[in-house]
Amino acid sequence: MKLKKNIKTVFTLGFLSVLLSVFVACTSGFDTYLGKTADQESRIALNGGSHNGVWQTDDLTVNYSYSRKPNSLQISGDVNLSDKMKDASNIVQTFFLQVNFLNAQGQVLDTKELAVAGYREMITKWEFDHTFELPARTAAMAFSYTGQMGEGAGEGSSESFWHDPFQ
């Protein structure tokens, strides 16, 4: 009977450890930029109605469409890795794309995740479709991201990539 109880305890502790590890791994890529000011060239005005756009860096391209109502934003689109990133590796260790809502001065009012890739995915394109409540005084948005390509520690090389549009 005592052996059964010990096995249950070990199993429960192991399960909780795995859950905690997953939580930490999933939240570690999410940066808080609250109050930081986005560079002028990174700001995308959020006008009323429906709009399409393309945002691009050396690492990736985001094709997006949004529809703004007074207090909400519906945003959808896809993220495509650049040929440079695809040539580096076909395995994504982690990837987090965020949208940062900005006031008229470019300061971050809130940050939300748009697209996330999990551990060791062989994906080079992600789609997203979200509706967010907008903070009061939202005038613009700016994208930010962080990720890691490659085999990972102990199994080969890996390369981190990111975009931080804040001063």
Side-chain angles (χ1 to χ4, degrees):
M1 204 57 160
K2 188 173 182 164
L3 180 60
K4 262 187 168 178
K5 188 175 182 178
N6 286 342
I7 291 172
K8 283 183 180 180
T9 302
V10 168
F11 178 76
T12 302
L13 289 174
F15 181 72
L16 290 174
S17 295
V18 169
L19 280 178
L20 181 61
S21 297
V22 169
F23 175 75
V24 169
C26 288
T27 59
S28 65
F30 189 68
D31 293 320
T32 288
Y33 297 113
L34 191 62
K36 291 189 177 183
T37 303
D39 297 331
Q40 188 69 37
E41 61 273 4
S42 297
R43 299 176 195 177
I44 301 167
L46 287 176
N47 301 312
S50 297
H51 303 275
N52 298 317
V54 176
W55 180 78
Q56 188 170 6
T57 68
D58 289 342
D59 302 322
L60 53 83
T61 300
V62 177
N63 300 294
Y64 64 90
S65 298
Y66 75 83
S67 179
R68 179 173 182 171
K69 295 181 180 173
N71 298 321
S72 67
L73 181 79
Q74 187 281 322
I75 184 169
S76 61
D78 58 59
V79 183
N80 296 284
L81 290 177
S82 69
D83 288 341
K84 174 188 96 167
M85 296 304 292
K86 292 176 191 175
D87 290 343
S89 177
N90 64 349
I91 296 175
V92 177
Q93 290 289 337
T94 59
F95 177 73
F96 300 89
L97 172 69
Q98 298 97 18
V99 60
N100 302 277
F101 298 120
L102 313 172
N103 64 17
Q105 293 75 38
Q107 294 174 317
V108 177
L109 301 170
D110 196 8
T111 299
K112 299 290 185 183
E113 284 190 2
L114 279 181
V116 177
Y119 181 68
R120 297 190 66 141
E121 288 189 40
M122 295 185 73
I123 296 177
T124 56
K125 179 179 178 177
W126 300 274
E127 294 181 354
F128 58 89
D129 187 359
H130 299 282
T131 300
F132 298 114
E133 187 174 323
L134 290 174
R137 302 179 323 278
T138 299
M141 67 179 176
F143 294 110
S144 56
Y145 61 84
T146 182
Q148 187 172 14
M149 299 287 291
E151 297 296 319
E155 298 179 24
S157 64
S158 62
E159 181 180 335
S160 295
F161 60 105
W162 65 91
H163 175 76
D164 180 351
F166 304 103
Q167 303 168 354

